[in-house]
Short mmCIF file of all heavy atoms in Angstrom, two decimals:
data_model
loop_
_atom_site.label_atom_id
_atom_site.label_comp_id
_atom_site.label_asym_id
_atom_site.label_seq_id
_atom_site.Cartn_x
_atom_site.Cartn_y
_atom_site.Cartn_z
N TYR G 1 -33.81 70.19 137.60
CA TYR G 1 -33.11 71.34 137.10
C TYR G 1 -34.12 72.35 136.59
O TYR G 1 -35.09 72.12 135.99
CB TYR G 1 -32.26 70.91 135.90
CG TYR G 1 -31.20 69.93 136.21
CD1 TYR G 1 -31.40 68.41 136.20
CD2 TYR G 1 -30.01 70.23 136.68
CE1 TYR G 1 -30.51 67.62 136.52
CE2 TYR G 1 -29.00 69.41 137.09
CZ TYR G 1 -29.21 68.03 136.93
OH TYR G 1 -28.32 67.12 137.27
N ALA G 2 -33.65 73.61 136.68
CA ALA G 2 -34.36 74.69 136.01
C ALA G 2 -34.22 74.44 134.52
O ALA G 2 -33.23 73.93 134.01
CB ALA G 2 -33.74 76.08 136.40
N ASP G 3 -35.14 74.98 133.79
CA ASP G 3 -35.26 74.63 132.28
C ASP G 3 -33.93 75.08 131.66
O ASP G 3 -33.45 74.46 130.75
CB ASP G 3 -36.44 75.28 131.72
CG ASP G 3 -37.75 74.53 132.13
OD1 ASP G 3 -37.65 73.42 132.56
OD2 ASP G 3 -38.80 75.13 131.87
N SER G 4 -33.47 76.32 132.08
CA SER G 4 -32.32 76.92 131.30
C SER G 4 -31.01 76.20 131.71
O SER G 4 -29.97 76.42 131.05
CB SER G 4 -32.18 78.29 131.64
OG SER G 4 -32.00 78.52 133.07
N MET G 5 -31.03 75.39 132.61
CA MET G 5 -29.84 74.58 132.96
C MET G 5 -29.78 73.15 132.52
O MET G 5 -28.80 72.42 132.46
CB MET G 5 -29.66 74.50 134.55
CG MET G 5 -29.29 75.77 135.21
SD MET G 5 -30.59 77.04 135.18
CE MET G 5 -29.94 78.34 136.23
N LYS G 6 -30.94 72.55 132.04
CA LYS G 6 -30.99 71.24 131.64
C LYS G 6 -30.04 71.03 130.44
O LYS G 6 -30.05 71.80 129.53
CB LYS G 6 -32.43 70.92 131.19
CG LYS G 6 -33.49 70.80 132.40
CD LYS G 6 -34.83 70.50 131.86
CE LYS G 6 -35.85 70.44 133.10
NZ LYS G 6 -37.17 70.17 132.65
N GLY G 7 -29.31 69.88 130.61
CA GLY G 7 -28.41 69.58 129.52
C GLY G 7 -27.08 70.24 129.78
O GLY G 7 -26.06 69.87 129.08
N ARG G 8 -26.91 71.21 130.56
CA ARG G 8 -25.68 71.98 130.78
C ARG G 8 -25.14 71.75 132.20
O ARG G 8 -23.92 71.65 132.39
CB ARG G 8 -25.85 73.49 130.58
CG ARG G 8 -26.33 73.86 129.17
CD ARG G 8 -26.17 75.37 128.94
NE ARG G 8 -27.00 76.16 129.91
CZ ARG G 8 -26.47 77.07 130.71
NH1 ARG G 8 -25.18 77.37 130.59
NH2 ARG G 8 -27.27 77.77 131.53
N PHE G 9 -25.94 71.63 133.21
CA PHE G 9 -25.59 71.50 134.47
C PHE G 9 -25.91 70.11 135.08
O PHE G 9 -26.93 69.48 134.68
CB PHE G 9 -26.29 72.52 135.42
CG PHE G 9 -25.89 73.93 135.21
CD1 PHE G 9 -25.10 74.38 134.19
CD2 PHE G 9 -26.35 74.93 135.98
CE1 PHE G 9 -24.75 75.56 134.00
CE2 PHE G 9 -25.96 76.25 135.92
CZ PHE G 9 -25.13 76.66 134.92
N THR G 10 -25.05 69.55 135.92
CA THR G 10 -25.30 68.31 136.53
C THR G 10 -25.09 68.39 138.04
O THR G 10 -24.02 68.85 138.48
CB THR G 10 -24.41 67.16 136.03
OG1 THR G 10 -24.63 67.16 134.50
CG2 THR G 10 -24.66 65.84 136.56
N ILE G 11 -26.00 67.97 138.81
CA ILE G 11 -25.89 68.00 140.26
C ILE G 11 -25.70 66.54 140.75
O ILE G 11 -26.19 65.53 140.13
CB ILE G 11 -27.16 68.57 140.95
CG1 ILE G 11 -26.94 68.69 142.60
CG2 ILE G 11 -28.45 67.64 140.71
CD1 ILE G 11 -28.03 69.52 143.18
N SER G 12 -24.80 66.44 141.68
CA SER G 12 -24.49 65.15 142.28
C SER G 12 -24.09 65.33 143.73
O SER G 12 -23.83 66.43 144.24
CB SER G 12 -23.37 64.45 141.48
OG SER G 12 -22.15 65.22 141.59
N ARG G 13 -24.01 64.15 144.49
CA ARG G 13 -23.74 64.32 145.85
C ARG G 13 -22.84 63.09 146.21
O ARG G 13 -22.98 61.96 145.72
CB ARG G 13 -24.94 64.33 146.70
CG ARG G 13 -25.90 63.12 146.72
CD ARG G 13 -27.27 63.31 147.43
NE ARG G 13 -27.04 63.64 148.84
CZ ARG G 13 -28.04 64.03 149.58
NH1 ARG G 13 -29.11 64.48 149.02
NH2 ARG G 13 -27.82 64.26 150.79
N ASP G 14 -22.13 63.18 147.36
CA ASP G 14 -21.33 62.18 147.94
C ASP G 14 -21.44 62.30 149.45
O ASP G 14 -20.76 63.08 150.07
CB ASP G 14 -19.82 62.32 147.47
CG ASP G 14 -18.96 61.15 147.95
OD1 ASP G 14 -19.40 60.38 148.88
OD2 ASP G 14 -17.78 61.08 147.49
N ASP G 15 -22.31 61.48 149.99
CA ASP G 15 -22.67 61.55 151.41
C ASP G 15 -21.48 61.12 152.25
O ASP G 15 -21.37 61.63 153.43
CB ASP G 15 -23.87 60.84 151.76
CG ASP G 15 -25.21 61.51 151.18
OD1 ASP G 15 -25.14 62.74 150.92
OD2 ASP G 15 -26.21 60.75 151.10
N ALA G 16 -20.65 60.22 151.69
CA ALA G 16 -19.52 59.90 152.51
C ALA G 16 -18.57 61.09 152.76
O ALA G 16 -17.86 61.14 153.78
CB ALA G 16 -18.69 58.82 151.81
N LYS G 17 -18.62 62.01 151.85
CA LYS G 17 -17.69 63.20 151.99
C LYS G 17 -18.58 64.42 152.43
O LYS G 17 -18.10 65.55 152.48
CB LYS G 17 -17.07 63.50 150.64
CG LYS G 17 -16.17 62.47 150.19
CD LYS G 17 -15.40 62.85 148.92
CE LYS G 17 -14.47 61.71 148.40
NZ LYS G 17 -13.77 62.10 147.17
N SER G 18 -19.81 64.15 152.75
CA SER G 18 -20.71 65.26 153.07
C SER G 18 -20.61 66.41 152.08
O SER G 18 -20.55 67.57 152.38
CB SER G 18 -20.39 65.89 154.46
OG SER G 18 -20.63 64.86 155.47
N ALA G 19 -20.72 66.10 150.81
CA ALA G 19 -20.53 67.03 149.72
C ALA G 19 -21.59 66.89 148.66
O ALA G 19 -22.13 65.85 148.38
CB ALA G 19 -19.18 66.82 149.06
N VAL G 20 -21.86 68.04 148.01
CA VAL G 20 -22.77 68.02 146.85
C VAL G 20 -22.03 68.89 145.85
O VAL G 20 -21.28 69.89 146.12
CB VAL G 20 -24.08 68.58 147.24
CG1 VAL G 20 -24.09 70.01 147.76
CG2 VAL G 20 -25.08 68.55 146.00
N TYR G 21 -22.23 68.52 144.57
CA TYR G 21 -21.48 69.21 143.51
C TYR G 21 -22.43 69.75 142.40
O TYR G 21 -23.67 69.19 142.28
CB TYR G 21 -20.53 68.27 142.91
CG TYR G 21 -19.62 67.52 143.92
CD1 TYR G 21 -19.85 66.29 144.30
CD2 TYR G 21 -18.50 68.21 144.33
CE1 TYR G 21 -19.09 65.66 145.19
CE2 TYR G 21 -17.69 67.57 145.20
CZ TYR G 21 -18.00 66.34 145.72
OH TYR G 21 -17.09 65.66 146.56
N LEU G 22 -21.95 70.70 141.71
CA LEU G 22 -22.66 71.18 140.58
C LEU G 22 -21.67 71.37 139.40
O LEU G 22 -20.84 72.27 139.47
CB LEU G 22 -23.39 72.60 140.87
CG LEU G 22 -24.30 73.09 139.77
CD1 LEU G 22 -25.45 72.18 139.53
CD2 LEU G 22 -24.78 74.56 140.03
N GLN G 23 -21.76 70.47 138.49
CA GLN G 23 -20.83 70.63 137.27
C GLN G 23 -21.62 71.52 136.27
O GLN G 23 -22.74 71.15 135.92
CB GLN G 23 -20.76 69.21 136.70
CG GLN G 23 -19.87 69.21 135.41
CD GLN G 23 -18.39 69.65 135.63
OE1 GLN G 23 -17.79 69.22 136.51
NE2 GLN G 23 -17.92 70.53 134.71
N MET G 24 -21.01 72.61 135.89
CA MET G 24 -21.58 73.45 134.98
C MET G 24 -20.74 73.58 133.69
O MET G 24 -19.59 73.84 133.64
CB MET G 24 -21.63 74.89 135.59
CG MET G 24 -22.35 74.95 136.95
SD MET G 24 -22.50 76.52 137.61
CE MET G 24 -20.81 77.05 137.92
N ASN G 25 -21.43 73.16 132.59
CA ASN G 25 -20.75 73.16 131.25
C ASN G 25 -21.45 74.29 130.41
O ASN G 25 -22.58 74.63 130.61
CB ASN G 25 -20.85 71.70 130.67
CG ASN G 25 -20.09 70.77 131.46
OD1 ASN G 25 -19.08 70.95 132.10
ND2 ASN G 25 -20.57 69.53 131.48
N SER G 26 -20.84 74.57 129.12
CA SER G 26 -21.31 75.47 128.26
C SER G 26 -21.82 76.75 128.98
O SER G 26 -23.01 77.15 128.64
CB SER G 26 -22.46 74.79 127.47
OG SER G 26 -21.95 73.62 126.87
N LEU G 27 -21.01 77.34 129.78
CA LEU G 27 -21.41 78.44 130.44
C LEU G 27 -21.63 79.68 129.62
O LEU G 27 -21.05 79.86 128.67
CB LEU G 27 -20.41 78.76 131.63
CG LEU G 27 -20.41 77.81 132.81
CD1 LEU G 27 -19.24 77.90 133.63
CD2 LEU G 27 -21.68 78.22 133.67
N LYS G 28 -22.68 80.37 130.03
CA LYS G 28 -23.07 81.57 129.32
C LYS G 28 -22.93 82.82 130.20
O LYS G 28 -22.92 82.68 131.44
CB LYS G 28 -24.51 81.47 128.86
CG LYS G 28 -24.91 80.31 128.09
CD LYS G 28 -26.33 80.21 127.85
CE LYS G 28 -26.69 78.91 127.10
NZ LYS G 28 -28.15 78.71 126.80
N PRO G 29 -22.76 84.10 129.64
CA PRO G 29 -22.62 85.32 130.41
C PRO G 29 -23.88 85.39 131.40
O PRO G 29 -23.64 85.88 132.57
CB PRO G 29 -22.54 86.38 129.46
CG PRO G 29 -21.99 85.65 128.26
CD PRO G 29 -22.49 84.26 128.14
N GLU G 30 -25.01 84.98 130.96
CA GLU G 30 -26.20 85.00 131.89
C GLU G 30 -26.19 84.07 133.01
O GLU G 30 -27.11 84.15 133.98
CB GLU G 30 -27.52 84.85 131.07
CG GLU G 30 -27.51 83.62 130.09
CD GLU G 30 -27.11 83.88 128.77
OE1 GLU G 30 -26.16 84.68 128.48
OE2 GLU G 30 -27.78 83.38 127.83
N ASP G 31 -25.13 83.24 133.08
CA ASP G 31 -25.06 82.38 134.21
C ASP G 31 -24.23 83.04 135.41
O ASP G 31 -24.09 82.53 136.44
CB ASP G 31 -24.26 81.05 133.89
CG ASP G 31 -24.98 80.19 132.93
OD1 ASP G 31 -26.26 80.02 133.16
OD2 ASP G 31 -24.52 79.63 131.99
N THR G 32 -23.81 84.29 135.10
CA THR G 32 -23.13 84.98 136.10
C THR G 32 -23.97 85.27 137.30
O THR G 32 -24.99 85.94 137.14
CB THR G 32 -22.53 86.35 135.52
OG1 THR G 32 -21.54 86.12 134.53
CG2 THR G 32 -21.92 87.27 136.58
N ALA G 33 -23.47 84.94 138.52
CA ALA G 33 -24.32 85.01 139.70
C ALA G 33 -23.47 84.55 140.83
O ALA G 33 -22.38 83.98 140.67
CB ALA G 33 -25.55 84.22 139.62
N VAL G 34 -24.02 84.73 142.06
CA VAL G 34 -23.56 84.10 143.25
C VAL G 34 -24.38 82.78 143.34
O VAL G 34 -25.62 82.89 143.40
CB VAL G 34 -23.66 85.05 144.48
CG1 VAL G 34 -23.20 84.20 145.74
CG2 VAL G 34 -22.88 86.36 144.36
N TYR G 35 -23.71 81.73 143.63
CA TYR G 35 -24.28 80.44 143.64
C TYR G 35 -24.35 79.95 145.05
O TYR G 35 -23.22 79.99 145.80
CB TYR G 35 -23.60 79.43 142.80
CG TYR G 35 -23.90 79.59 141.32
CD1 TYR G 35 -23.43 80.70 140.54
CD2 TYR G 35 -24.73 78.67 140.61
CE1 TYR G 35 -23.74 80.87 139.26
CE2 TYR G 35 -25.01 78.86 139.30
CZ TYR G 35 -24.60 79.97 138.64
OH TYR G 35 -24.83 80.13 137.30
N TYR G 36 -25.43 79.54 145.59
CA TYR G 36 -25.68 79.11 146.98
C TYR G 36 -26.14 77.65 146.90
O TYR G 36 -26.95 77.08 146.16
CB TYR G 36 -26.74 79.88 147.68
CG TYR G 36 -26.43 81.32 147.80
CD1 TYR G 36 -26.84 82.26 146.82
CD2 TYR G 36 -25.76 81.87 148.82
CE1 TYR G 36 -26.54 83.56 146.75
CE2 TYR G 36 -25.48 83.18 149.00
CZ TYR G 36 -25.87 84.09 147.92
OH TYR G 36 -25.63 85.42 148.01
N CYS G 37 -25.55 76.85 147.93
CA CYS G 37 -26.07 75.49 148.19
C CYS G 37 -26.98 75.59 149.30
O CYS G 37 -26.78 76.36 150.23
CB CYS G 37 -25.02 74.45 148.27
SG CYS G 37 -24.13 74.38 149.83
#
């Protein structure tokens, strides 16, 4: 994780579903962005 995301964001994957996830908690206005996998 990038330092500013540690403790707030969690990445996980499910290869059976060909999926990766990003759980984002305690969001801040500075998290506003386009997110790309």
Side-chain angles (χ1 to χ4, degrees):
Y1 299 92
D3 287 343
S4 60
M5 287 72 169
K6 289 179 181 177
R8 300 191 299 126
F9 291 10
T10 303
I11 188 171
S12 60
R13 66 190 294 165
D14 184 343
D15 288 341
K17 297 181 179 180
S18 294
V20 62
Y21 307 101
L22 185 68
Q23 177 67 43
M24 305 187 295
N25 299 327
S26 302
L27 283 163
K28 305 173 182 179
E30 51 264 44
D31 294 318
T32 294
V34 178
Y35 284 71
Y36 299 89
C37 75

